[in-house]
Amino acid sequence: MKGNLTADEAEQKYIVAMGPDLGRFYYLLVNECVLLHLEWAEYRVLFGTNPERIDLMNQAARWFFFRLQDTLWERTLLQIARLMDPPNSGKNKENITLRGLLELVDPVIRYKIDDLLKIAQEKCAFSIDWRKRRIAHRDLALALNENAKPLETASRLRVDGALEAIATVLNAVEFHYMDNGTVAYEYTIKPLGGAMALLDLLREGLEARAGRKQRLASGQPLPEDVTPKRPI
């Protein structure tokens, strides 16, 4: 979302342009997509930029960051798969999903949205397989490696492709109603208190710890080097 609109103002903007049903639904989808892009960007900052950052995290708390990497990765795949769910998953149970757009958009662009949804479905298929057999359910044959079909290959490149396909669907809707089809659904400004802030603190902390060890080894510690640390 561009500009400095409040949440209510942003929702109203879509309602005015698209009507109440599609406007509210589209607003929810945009929020889902923006959050997905933000979280994926944080994952890339930590685990997909350079080996030095990986080494920094391993020095600080190897086990924690190993589990964090898995958690963020699976959460990303789960969010992608969820966006491609059927519009309904039971009686009176509607979902916030891209496929729900078909019944709401102008019939003039319905065929185009349908085509783009098929492309997105194909691009996101790997995440759906992971959700079914690894994340939401733990496939026994796969866990035992007993002639099970391997999980669909998942990679950062495939996640990027899935996000692009999802954004293309939303952009097509927005372009039709608002003559704006270049929304990226991600922020270029890094969030305050995000992954980079954590990495900066880790680096400072490790450098401070190394300095303390060096002073202790040389027999010239500072008073704070020998003061017992307060429990957190």
Side-chain angles (χ1 to χ4, degrees), residues 1 24-40 75-76 78-84 95-98 163 166 170 185-186:
M1 293 289 298
R24 291 191 179 97
F25 190 78
Y26 184 83
Y27 170 73
L28 294 174
L29 280 173
V30 167
N31 284 344
E32 291 285 323
C33 201
V34 167
L35 180 60
L36 174 55
H37 275 88
L38 281 170
E39 292 184 355
W40 178 239
R75 175 173 168 80
T76 297
L78 181 60
Q79 288 175 291
I80 293 172
R82 191 169 60 192
L83 281 169
M84 299 311 302
N95 299 317
I96 302 171
T97 167
L98 288 181
L163 296 185
I166 290 169
L170 294 174
Y185 298 101
E186 61 180 318

Side-chain angles (χ1 to χ4, degrees), residues 29-202:
L29 280 173
V30 167
N31 284 344
E32 291 285 323
C33 201
V34 167
L35 180 60
L36 174 55
H37 275 88
L38 281 170
E39 292 184 355
W40 178 239
E42 294 288 83
Y43 177 95
R44 295 297 296 260
V45 167
L46 292 173
F47 306 109
T49 300
N50 59 56
E52 287 77 15
R53 293 181 182 181
I54 301 295
D55 183 58
L56 186 69
M57 289 182 283
N58 283 339
Q59 289 183 59
R62 178 184 297 269
W63 169 250
F64 172 78
F65 284 108
F66 170 71
R67 295 308 306 154
L68 178 63
Q69 182 176 13
D70 274 358
T71 299
L72 291 178
W73 173 253
E74 292 188 352
R75 175 173 168 80
T76 297
L77 299 191
L78 181 60
Q79 288 175 291
I80 293 172
R82 191 169 60 192
L83 281 169
M84 299 311 302
D85 273 342
N88 300 282
S89 56
K91 186 177 181 180
N92 298 324
K93 190 176 188 308
E94 299 182 28
N95 299 317
I96 302 171
T97 167
L98 288 181
R99 292 161 65 184
L101 288 169
L102 273 182
E103 295 301 317
L104 296 172
V105 296
D106 188 337
V108 172
I109 62 165
R110 193 165 291 163
Y111 75 95
K112 179 178 181 179
I113 300 303
D114 189 34
D115 287 344
L116 293 175
L117 282 171
K118 289 174 182 175
I119 295 173
Q121 194 79 31
E122 181 181 350
K123 295 281 189 180
C124 298
F126 73 96
S127 68
I128 297 170
D129 186 42
W130 272 67
R131 180 176 69 172
K132 287 181 178 178
R133 299 198 292 144
R134 174 66 182 265
I135 303 174
H137 307 284
R138 198 75 165 97
D139 186 271
L140 179 60
L142 186 64
L144 295 173
N145 196 26
E146 293 184 345
N147 300 317
K149 177 186 175 183
L151 282 172
E152 289 282 342
T153 301
S155 66
R156 292 196 294 267
L157 186 61
R158 295 195 78 175
V159 170
D160 287 338
L163 296 185
E164 182 180 357
I166 290 169
T168 299
V169 175
L170 294 174
N171 280 329
V173 174
E174 190 151 334
F175 182 80
H176 176 75
Y177 287 94
M178 305 174 72
D179 196 26
N180 178 4
T182 58
V183 181
Y185 298 101
E186 61 180 318
Y187 293 121
T188 55
I189 300 175
K190 301 297 185 293
L192 294 176
M196 279 306 304
L198 174 62
L199 289 172
D200 286 339
L201 282 175
L202 287 179

